[in-house]
Amino acid sequence: MRAALLLLLVAFAAHATPAQHIVSLAPHLTELAFTAGAGDRIVATVEYSDHPDAARGIPRIGNAFRVDLERLVALRPDAVLVWESGTPVPTVERIRALGLPVVSFQTQRLEHVATVLRQIGRLAGTSEIAERAATDYEHRIQELRDRYRNRAPVSVFIEVDDRPLYTVNGKQIISEIVELCGGHNVFADLNELAPAIGIEAVIAANPQAIISTDDTVPDAAASWKRWSHIEAVRTGNVYTLRSDDIARATTRLTVAAESVCRTLDTARQRLR
């Protein structure tokens, strides 16, 4: 977090006026820039930057793993937005070596969404819009936290891929949403952010609910049907949620959190 703020200050030092030509190298940063009122400043982005609809028309200069540096330089951006834990380090180093102003953002926790909105607002000179969006987001998250803080706990397995089987640990934002709703990620204590695990580990953990994302597991209930000795399967508590809402650190996480909270309330009823 401190590193991101420091880089932001460096970016400001490089130009006294608000950034007018922004390149975003992560889909969720593109979306956050639009939410912060700076969407019209984005001159290029990467593949899968598809929200809001206006982002679809922005020129692409690469994807999460490869960036066309020649095209990037030609754009002469006064800010290149990168994802601290997602944009490959070699890519960031090459961009810095070209003398372009890199601004790095951390988006691993729910609170980071509001922080990044405010940072982009300051960078682009759209702080008034960004502050309104950040405040609204914080209020909605806090309302959910207050509403569900005393609900009966539900142990949850979070499935983000099935071939091989992947989950997330407690430091990942999806896990934080589950916790906000009164759930407990059964693999929260693992060291890796998104570790591969075996089915035996899930059986041993015996979660009361399974939450999958629809981009890799379209019908989670069907795929888990044969493991009927797992409590979540036996009680019909296997759910598929929209990955587009829950997987990106944007203000749409409020929609995802509401969906997860409703889902876990359904699970609680079936566990009675």
Side-chain angles (χ1 to χ4, degrees):
M1 181 68 69
R2 291 182 179 177
L5 288 171
L6 178 60
L7 286 168
L8 188 66
L9 291 174
V10 171
F12 273 125
H15 51 77
T17 59
Q20 300 296 323
H21 299 90
I22 297 172
V23 172
S24 168
L25 298 186
H28 72 290
L29 294 180
T30 302
E31 183 174 340
L32 287 171
F34 271 91
T35 305
D40 60 348
R41 313 288 178 85
I42 302 177
V43 295
T45 185
V46 289
E47 296 296 334
Y48 302 109
S49 293
D50 52 11
H51 198 87
D53 288 342
R56 300 173 186 270
I58 299 173
R60 268 55 173 162
I61 59 169
N63 54 39
F65 305 102
R66 297 184 63 184
V67 175
D68 188 331
L69 296 179
E70 186 174 342
R71 289 181 62 195
L72 177 60
V73 171
L75 290 167
R76 302 179 65 181
D78 40 27
V80 180
L81 314 186
V82 302
W83 180 17
E84 185 173 317
S85 57
T87 308
V89 173
T91 298
V92 176
E93 291 177 344
R94 291 190 193 102
I95 295 171
R96 286 202 178 105
L98 292 169
L100 298 177
V102 173
V103 187
S104 181
F105 299 95
Q106 180 64 277
T107 53
Q108 281 191 316
R109 309 298 292 173
L110 287 170
E111 66 185 69
H112 293 166
V113 171
T115 299
V116 172
L117 282 172
R118 292 184 173 107
Q119 290 174 340
I120 293 176
R122 288 193 292 270
L123 177 68
T126 58
S127 287
E128 186 174 345
I129 296 172
E131 181 59 36
R132 285 200 300 269
T135 300
D136 178 68
Y137 167 82
E138 289 173 330
H139 285 169
R140 293 178 68 182
I141 290 295
Q142 188 59 49
E143 285 174 359
L144 288 171
R145 184 171 282 114
D146 292 342
R147 190 187 314 164
Y148 288 92
R149 69 170 70 250
N150 295 321
R151 301 292 169 97
V154 178
S155 62
V156 181
F157 169 56
I158 303 168
E159 180 184 26
V160 294
D161 206 346
D162 61 343
R163 298 180 183 179
L165 193 59
Y166 273 89
T167 188
V168 295
N169 72 4
K171 295 180 180 179
Q172 214 274 348
I173 205 164
I174 300 176
S175 181
E176 186 180 5
I177 290 174
V178 167
E179 296 284 343
L180 177 150
C181 297
H184 170 67
N185 175 4
V186 294
F187 294 111
D189 294 334
L190 295 183
N191 292 325
E192 292 182 62
L193 193 64
I197 58 171
I199 185 64
E200 297 82 4
V202 181
I203 293 171
N206 195 28
Q208 295 172 307
I210 295 174
I211 292 178
S212 298
T213 54
D214 65 2
D215 58 343
T216 56
V217 192
D219 189 349
S223 67
W224 284 94
K225 188 175 181 179
R226 62 178 173 147
W227 307 105
S228 58
H229 47 301
I230 297 175
E231 186 172 7
V233 180
R234 179 175 55 79
T235 57
N237 278 328
V238 180
Y239 305 94
T240 303
L241 300 181
R242 279 175 48 87
S243 59
D244 192 50
D245 290 335
I246 201 170
R248 293 187 183 182
T250 71
T251 55
R252 285 186 293 143
L253 286 179
T254 58
V255 175
E258 288 171 354
S259 179
V260 171
C261 288
R262 288 195 302 269
T263 295
L264 292 188
D265 260 356
T266 299
R268 289 183 183 95
Q269 294 173 10
R270 293 178 178 177
L271 290 168
R272 290 175 181 171

